[in-house]
Amino acid sequence: MNNGFAPFEDACLTVAHDESNAYDAVVPPIVQTSLFTFNDYDDMIASYRGEKIRPIYTRGLNPTVRMFEEILAKLEGAQDAIGFASGMSAISSTVLSFVEPGDRIVAVRHLYPDAFRLFGTLLKRMRIEVTYVDGRDEEEVARALPGAKLLYLESPTSWVMETHDIAALAALARRHGVITTIDNSWASPIFQQPLSLGVDLVIHSASKYLGGHSDVVAGVVAGSKELIGRVRSEAYPYLGGKLSPFDAWLLIRGMRTLPIRMKAHEQSALAIARRLQAHEAVEAVCYPGLANQLPNGLSGTSGLFSFIFRDGVDIRAFSDHLKLFKLGVSWGGHESLIVPGNVVLAQKAQPNSAVAFGISPRSVRLHVGLEGTEALWSDLEAAITAASSG
Ligand SMILES: *Cc1c(COP(=O)(O)O)cnc(C)c1O
């Protein structure tokens, strides 16, 4: 994608542009159809023979979904991308395209909980083994890589926000002939473009920042023509987690504002993280933006982070006193949200990644939305005060 402008301006141009030019409409139409018809027998047989690339059935190819895939591929600097009905569908289809019984995956600890559960249940039943490593420890990663098929990264991780030197890990994997995938949902392509750091496949939960309005559940994977071709021909058509045309249309709409939304999330989250860090009721704040220097490859920080309260703060009272921050899972939308660590620890799902990864019962995860920094800080400050008295 290099238009010769700074990466941020490039991204703004990419999401603003509609190459389809359909009906001269400024907003592209939704091709909301399950199937496509043919002019005649010859037209149909030519399509089936693959002599013509055209839509036949929406699970295979749909123009609106394709438009979303092309925009995301450009943002990630990828040759190709595939949209999915959810982030988990993108994760499971991608992983299953590259491993078979007896294979091993090396994964960073603190994975997104349902990815962790996929690895610990379904993949385990298929005799696919997963070695968890501390991604900050390159020697530990190097020791685990020989003989593995896939290196599965997520950086930063989605609760304690551990970050990794992605370029260094991807180079290690390449040396061992291991394919590297990364869950890039937290940073979005605006703040991190892993393919440029040597990663092979980039996965997003598009339900988060790409959609940005909390009205879509979707996913996507981007990478080289060859690797995406493998996902497209192996797991994708048969697992069938197709992104719907309407959801693709919502994603295209949402991505128009992705660059400026990311800047706004960053600005507010950074201000709030700094004030929390300075607050006497707070023991620690886990936000990569607070480091002296951003980790290699990350050019900005999003709105999701966690912090740990000191003893003496009633987290239930804090949660119930908030007005702007709503209690809710997920993140990446316009709205501010919190999840108390203790709530995640109470979850019955097995295997329980919250326990496995030591989420502190005194931690709270925040998503800083777009309501405005001062209003959000007032809301937090009042809730902390109310929860600290007595
Ligand atoms: C939400 C999320 C997923 C899963 O995406 P869905 O769209 O909910 O299936 C994967 N990875 C991360 C980091 C997430 O936050």
Side-chain angles (χ1 to χ4, degrees):
M1 150 186 104
N2 201 319
N3 295 317
F5 299 103
F8 184 79
E9 274 73 35
D10 266 346
C12 291
L13 277 176
T14 298
V15 296
H17 201 60
D18 172 11
E19 282 166 11
S20 73
N21 214 18
Y23 306 110
D24 293 322
V26 70
V27 173
I30 314 173
V31 184
Q32 186 72 30
T33 185
S34 62
L35 68 101
F36 299 81
T37 57
F38 300 89
N39 291 334
D40 52 28
Y41 179 94
D42 284 346
D43 186 26
M44 191 172 191
I45 203 166
S47 304
Y48 270 68
R49 281 188 187 128
E51 290 164 9
K52 264 190 194 172
I53 303 297
R54 53 149 286 171
I56 296 174
Y57 183 59
T58 275
R59 176 154 53 77
L61 179 61
N62 175 282
T64 313
V65 175
R66 191 64 197 145
M67 189 181 294
F68 160 70
E69 292 168 343
E70 283 171 357
I71 295 170
L72 189 277
K74 268 193 197 164
L75 287 175
E76 286 288 6
Q79 289 174 342
D80 201 359
I82 307 175
F84 287 91
S86 68
M88 278 313 301
S89 178
I91 291 170
S92 55
S93 296
T94 302
V95 168
L96 287 170
S97 298
F98 297 96
V99 290
E100 50 188 88
D103 283 346
R104 195 165 56 83
I105 299 170
V106 176
V108 292
R109 62 182 192 172
H110 304 176
L111 285 189
Y112 174 70
D114 278 345
F116 178 75
R117 291 180 194 119
L118 167 72
F119 291 177
T121 55
L122 194 58
L123 293 199
K124 191 172 173 186
R125 243 196 283 155
M126 298 169 76
R127 291 192 297 108
I128 295 155
E129 199 193 316
V130 183
T131 309
Y132 287 98
V133 291
D134 178 345
R136 299 167 305 177
D137 184 343
E138 282 164 38
E139 284 176 17
E140 188 183 341
V141 178
R143 275 197 302 277
L145 280 172
K149 272 282 168 65
L150 215 59
L151 173 62
Y152 186 96
L153 306 176
E154 187 182 328
S155 181
T157 56
S158 54
W159 194 278
V160 296
M161 312 293 142
E162 237 170 56
T163 56
H164 313 117
D165 186 337
I166 294 166
L169 299 185
L172 276 177
R174 188 145 299 186
R175 217 170 300 149
H176 291 281
V178 177
I179 291 172
T180 306
T181 67
I182 189 167
D183 183 330
N184 198 30
S185 308
W186 186 90
S188 91
I190 304 306
F191 291 146
Q192 185 163 268
Q193 293 173 310
L195 298 179
S196 72
L197 303 171
V199 168
D200 296 301
L201 290 160
V202 181
I203 297 170
H204 285 276
S205 168
S207 324
K208 312 295 163 55
Y209 286 124
L210 299 183
H213 294 72
S214 303
D215 51 10
V216 181
V217 170
V220 64
V221 59
S224 69
K225 267 212 155 26
E226 186 199 338
L227 294 182
I228 292 297
R230 203 157 138 187
V231 180
R232 199 184 286 290
S233 64
E234 295 194 5
Y236 164 81
Y238 313 126
L239 293 177
K242 178 74 185 188
L243 175 60
S244 79
F246 182 60
D247 283 347
W249 183 86
L250 286 171
L251 290 173
I252 294 165
R253 189 277 319 255
M255 282 160 70
R256 300 274 201 219
T257 56
L258 176 67
I260 57 160
R261 281 189 287 109
M262 295 311 292
K263 289 263 186 194
H265 285 296
E266 176 180 50
Q267 204 174 21
S268 269
L270 194 55
I272 286 170
R274 285 190 179 130
R275 291 179 201 181
L276 282 173
Q277 194 177 35
H279 199 290
E280 58 185 13
V282 173
E283 186 173 299
V285 180
C286 308
Y287 185 55
L290 293 175
N292 290 332
Q293 200 184 334
L294 285 179
N296 247 350
L298 201 63
S299 64
T301 50
S302 72
L304 184 77
F305 66 94
S306 67
F307 66 95
I308 302 174
F309 274 124
R310 285 190 203 287
D311 284 343
V313 180
D314 179 346
I315 294 177
R316 182 163 167 235
F318 165 76
S319 307
D320 290 345
H321 197 276
L322 290 166
K323 303 248 171 344
L324 290 177
F325 283 86
K326 304 289 182 198
L327 283 157
V329 77
S330 193
W331 43 274
H334 50 85
E335 76 286 19
S336 292
L337 297 166
I338 68 155
V339 182
N342 231 353
V343 169
V344 184
L345 288 164
Q347 197 176 13
K348 292 282 192 294
Q350 291 301 325
N352 195 333
S353 62
V355 174
F357 298 148
I359 290 178
S360 162
R362 303 208 55 76
S363 68
V364 173
R365 192 180 74 179
L366 288 187
H367 179 252
V368 177
L370 303 173
E371 297 92 337
T373 313
E374 296 312 320
L376 290 172
W377 177 247
S378 301
D379 195 31
L380 282 172
E381 204 177 26
I384 296 173
T385 305
S388 303
S389 56

